[in-house]
Amino acid sequence: MSIKPPQPAPSWDHRPEEIGTTIKDLIAKDRALMDKVAATPAAECNFESVFLVLSKAETDFDAVAEPLSFYQNVSADKALRDASNEAEVLVRDYGVEASMRIDIYQAKVAAEKNIKTSGQWDKLSGEEKRLVERMILDGTRAGLALSEEKRIQLTALKKELSQLCLEFSKNFNEEDQRITFTAKELDGVPKDVVSGYTKRTEGEEEVYDATYKTPDIFPIFKFAKDPETRRKAFEGHESRLKINVPILSKALGIRRQLASILGYKTWADYITEVKMIKNGKGVVDFLNDLEEKLRPVGIKDRETLLALKKKEHEELGLPFDGEFYIWDYRYYDRKFIENSLDLDDMVVKEYFPVTVVVPTILEIYQNLLGVRFEEYKGTTWHPDVQQFSVWEKDSTDESGFIGYCYLDLYPRSGKYSHAAVWPLLPGYDRPDGKRSYPIAAMVANLAKPTPDKPALMRHDDVVTFFHEMGHVFHGLLSHTKFSRFHGTSVARDFVEAPSQMLENWCWEPKVLEKMSSHYQTKKPLSPELITKLVKSRYVNVGLFYLRQVFFAKFDIQVHTSSEDQDYTALWNSLRESISLVKSGKPAPGQGTFGHITGGYDAGYYGYTYSLVFAADMYATVFKADPLDPSRGKRYREKILVPGGSREELDSLKDFLGREPNSKAFLTELFGSQETAKF
């Protein structure tokens, strides 16, 4: 049954030349509205005349700007991507200007005072009070309580930082280099992967050009028998964005200046003030504690893999220097799993054709959360993109409409190269009492079909897809009054927890059986294969998580340090000491660390920190019956619906029925229930 959605889907037919004009008009309109708020006499500043007007202005602005900024990540038209990037430059610059308006800050302060003295404060809902508090906090954190001289300095620095972060991101998206190998060098790499490379003749020899995109390069890390091939691939991959090295150095210097002007000891202290962890020291303590627990486990993992390397090098007649290099890690991790569990990643992959996995995962989510996806034929930014309207499961009229979802799953030139979700439009209550519905887009880079096989997903890809769909549903099923609290607008060290919790489904036997179907026989994974796959989850867990600790420690060190340093040297030395792998030639890997300029600055620790909450939520509520819709309803109501409209800890306590703790996380990793300092 097809019902017409009460809100039309957006059109994706913008031309490069109109984007800049649209954004300039939008900025002019918003500036005029800000001027009007700023001109409100102090006595007339109240919740309606200041906070509601500003909230609506923010919502209306983002509704136009966000989709236009999105093109730079997905459009096949370089002119459109460039126009989108240039538009975001204007938006970010204006964002800095607007955030530094002392007259708007003064109107907010006057309104807050009037609300509290008039008795209106007690009549506001919890979310309305949070809006007031957060909008005032925006001003104090922007430095609006400082002198005019310092505010001018802050504005200039913020604009410069914004441009640097955009440039870093643009280089990331536009990177399109190739690395060349002979057939001999690619010995061991699966044929269906090699058949997807560009084949050409160089002199007398046939060679293959691979991109640095995940479906091309990761199989080389995991399967190439020749360590020189893996080394060359790794060093090329790590160095592919050396153009970003000076950009990052400059950005870190500006952040140090900003923190100092704003009165914070470090940038990390500034960033974490509004997160669950509250300060930079909390991050350092958390990571030190985790590293200490992981290190003995990681050393054992390394010894096991090094012994495997020694044995193979002896068998192949290769020299063995007693070192375990970073380009050995994925290769021997795979070999160990294959040998100890008799589990072949490439065999498992044959059970996960994209055409089966994607609809099955959507079906699992729909049943668990009580929703219905209907394919929707509207305009999209590329022919590969699927569009869905999303409804309450049993809805029979437009009142059951939830929002729109886009899936853009396959790699192409100029497209964002990893997997991520863009909450293109938040949901919120309109002034007329009606609802404005959310729109979420998932962008991924799954393998395309090859001449020999259909598009197949590694189990890792399945986990990633399930994780990202968790963000999609956070964006669709949240239901807040104000757009700024919608969906994933939660503390950055909590935002990953719901999706990380949902990854557990990909390790549950009955779920694995449900979403697997061999591309030839159509049979699901056998119970024997499922058992092996589940056992592989925590194999070499020490080395895996030490790698995460390395990224997080690099991030926190550069954001707690008081001076500039050689970040390439720091990147490589930290990796060797924490990840327990030898680096070889120092490569500027920090240029590929997109998180550090993409909103996760002084925040990478959050991936591991939020795992503590994810493990607790899963073990406490879902483990007994992960596909139970009544548990899904509880999750939807207690975690997804509130979004950021209340403290994250309150949502967790509501869902768990108690304070969260780290027992489930530590049991998962170590089989121990020792409680850590987090």
Side-chain angles (χ1 to χ4, degrees), residues 637-666:
E637 288 173 357
K638 312 286 191 190
I639 299 290
L640 301 184
V641 167
S645 66
R646 63 179 176 179
E647 288 294 313
E648 293 76 15
L649 198 55
D650 291 340
S651 292
L652 274 169
K653 286 192 286 194
D654 197 11
F655 180 67
L656 295 167
R658 57 164 171 78
E659 292 269 354
N661 63 52
S662 60
K663 286 179 184 174
F665 176 66
L666 293 169

Side-chain angles (χ1 to χ4, degrees), residues 303-314:
E303 285 167 0
T304 303
L305 297 186
L306 192 60
L308 197 60
K309 176 182 175 178
K310 185 181 181 191
K311 183 169 177 279
E312 185 181 64
H313 276 232
E314 283 167 359

Side-chain angles (χ1 to χ4, degrees), residues 222-223 334 338 343-350 457-460 533:
K222 288 183 83 164
F223 294 100
R334 172 193 59 87
E338 281 181 12
L343 183 67
D344 185 340
D345 197 34
M346 289 297 113
V347 170
V348 172
K349 182 177 167 179
E350 293 180 351
M457 296 168 75
R458 292 166 25 246
H459 182 254
D460 282 357
L533 188 59

